[in-house]
Amino acid sequence: MGSPQGSTLTSDMTGLIDGSTARSDVSFIDCLPVYVKELIAGGAAGAIAKTTIAPLERIKILLQTRTDGFQSLGVYQSLRKVLKHEGFMGFYKGNGASVVRIIPYAALHFMTYEQYRGWMLDNCNFFGSGPLVDLIAGSCSGGTAVLCTYPLDLARTKLAYQVVDTRTKFSSAMTSLYPRPAYSGIRDVLTTVYKEGGMRGLYRGVGPTLAGILPYAGLKFYIYEVIKIRVPEEHQKSIVMNLSCGAIAGLLGQTFTYPLDVVRRQMQVGSLQSSSIQGDTRYRNTYDGLTTIVRNHGWRQLFAGLSINYIKIVPSVAVGFAAYDMMKVWLRIPPRQKSQAASSG
């Protein structure tokens, strides 16, 4: 009895010295498959990052959809108006739906990227092992995550689009601003939209979403890897370097695909917009949305809110990467090169 216990204690202490944790700690975490750890790490990172930049995300949606009273305002003025009319919590309207969506989205995005990349490296040698693999794997993972979580993104947009003056009575405010009752929460949005249009209604705007996310997700990973390859090897594990490369990749990728995001938002809130203010925004498809916006509002409207996207993308990527790295350490996820073999095994 004494010898085995002593042996166990010795091995535990050795593990602690080597940087691992005690046997009692690894009984659950180390038994989890790598892909499950990636799901947990990605979901946590996404939730933390999304909550951090929620006020900027709310303003971006209000600018993108040309909400009444915000068309001619800048970022600072819009922030002040939301604070004045809705208070501090107005900055986080729709954030519940956003976090509920981003947890499975980010989890699926990170995990499926690793899985797609590992599968391609093992089975598609003609793609090589360079950034092209990251471009394709990133695009596929982005599309997968969008298809699985799109109704939640629709709910987030509809909730964030509503502007209610909390200084007045709820009923009078809603009557003056909207021709229909406001949504009370995520469940109300989903059930109402489903009753009105079925599954097709829940996926309204998914076309431009996929058209935007496929190149964006692919470019983000591609640019990140291209930049990282050119960094000296001794600096490639630096957190600052990873955050910088990720921020640059996010900025470039977002710029190229941003007009598609604008069309998506307007398609999502089309039923809420007043025709007297916006005109008919029920676009037939992505191309129709792009051409109609340019014809009615000019090409600059395709980039409405892009400046705030630049402002929020850097802290979003920074917080996301930092949180993901922290979760990977806590969950003891091996480096990506090693995780490919583990994931495919």
Side-chain angles (χ1 to χ4, degrees), residues 216 220 223-224 227 240-254 309-310 313-318 321:
Y216 172 67
K220 181 174 63 176
I223 296 172
Y224 178 78
I227 297 174
V240 174
M241 186 281 301
N242 288 331
L243 299 180
S244 300
C245 292
I248 294 173
L251 287 171
L252 294 177
Q254 185 71 190
N309 235 35
Y310 285 151
I313 198 68
V314 173
S316 176
V317 173
F321 268 96

Side-chain angles (χ1 to χ4, degrees), residues 20-329:
S20 61
T21 56
R23 190 179 301 273
S24 60
D25 292 334
V26 305
S27 60
F28 175 73
I29 293 178
D30 283 359
C31 289
L32 293 174
V34 172
Y35 74 88
V36 174
K37 295 181 181 181
E38 291 165 351
L39 282 171
I40 297 172
I48 295 171
K50 184 62 68 175
T51 301
T52 301
I53 53 94
L56 296 174
E57 183 71 18
R58 173 89 198 280
I59 298 303
K60 187 193 74 168
I61 291 176
L62 293 174
L63 294 177
Q64 280 182 327
T65 56
R66 295 178 61 81
T67 303
D68 186 25
F70 288 84
Q71 298 99 320
S72 60
L73 298 182
V75 174
Y76 178 70
Q77 290 83 359
S78 297
L79 288 169
R80 288 190 60 185
K81 183 167 184 173
V82 170
L83 181 63
K84 179 180 179 181
H85 287 266
E86 299 182 319
F88 179 77
M89 294 308 298
F91 292 136
Y92 291 89
K93 179 176 289 186
N95 187 58
S98 183
V99 170
V100 169
R101 166 193 168 267
I102 203 63
I103 289 177
Y105 177 85
L108 286 169
H109 195 29
F110 277 106
M111 186 275 289
T112 55
Y113 165 72
E114 301 287 359
Q115 297 298 313
Y116 286 137
R117 188 179 188 279
W119 183 86
M120 291 177 64
L121 290 174
D122 292 338
N123 300 281
C124 303
N125 295 330
F126 50 87
F127 286 123
S129 59
L132 179 60
V133 174
D134 297 284
L135 176 67
I136 299 173
S139 296
C140 292
S141 65
T144 300
V146 163
L147 289 175
C148 292
T149 63
Y150 186 79
L152 293 173
D153 183 51
L154 180 73
R156 183 275 301 263
T157 300
K158 286 182 177 292
L159 289 172
Y161 176 74
Q162 297 175 157
V163 181
V164 181
D165 192 341
T166 56
R167 298 172 305 172
T168 62
K169 292 183 179 180
F170 179 82
S171 57
S172 62
M174 295 316 302
T175 301
S176 63
L177 289 177
Y178 298 102
R180 55 173 295 169
Y183 297 114
S184 60
I186 301 171
R187 183 178 179 180
D188 185 32
V189 174
L190 296 178
T191 54
T192 302
V193 172
Y194 182 78
K195 288 178 181 178
E196 293 176 351
M199 288 299 296
R200 189 171 183 176
L202 290 176
Y203 279 85
R204 178 170 178 79
V206 73
T209 300
L210 286 174
I213 198 62
L214 292 177
Y216 172 67
L219 284 171
K220 181 174 63 176
F221 284 109
Y222 175 81
I223 296 172
Y224 178 78
E225 292 300 325
V226 167
I227 297 174
K228 191 174 180 180
I229 288 174
R230 287 162 171 74
V231 174
E233 187 174 352
E234 61 270 20
H235 298 298
Q236 288 193 2
K237 293 184 179 181
S238 166
I239 294 179
V240 174
M241 186 281 301
N242 288 331
L243 299 180
S244 300
C245 292
I248 294 173
L251 287 171
L252 294 177
Q254 185 71 190
T255 301
F256 294 144
T257 61
Y258 191 78
L260 297 170
D261 189 46
V262 173
V263 175
R264 169 172 69 108
R265 298 298 185 193
Q266 295 207 6
M267 291 181 72
Q268 287 177 334
V269 302
S271 61
L272 293 176
Q273 293 176 320
S274 171
S275 58
S276 63
I277 298 174
Q278 299 290 346
D280 186 6
T281 55
R282 292 183 178 273
Y283 308 128
R284 294 187 299 273
N285 50 50
T286 304
Y287 178 76
D288 180 47
L290 291 170
T291 55
T292 301
I293 290 174
V294 172
R295 183 172 60 252
N296 294 341
H297 306 294
W299 65 269
R300 291 180 182 275
Q301 181 60 29
L302 292 177
F303 295 91
L306 180 58
S307 60
I308 198 170
N309 235 35
Y310 285 151
I311 296 172
K312 79 182 184 68
I313 198 68
V314 173
S316 176
V317 173
V319 173
F321 268 96
Y324 186 63
D325 287 341
M326 178 183 68
M327 292 299 297
K328 285 199 298 182
V329 172

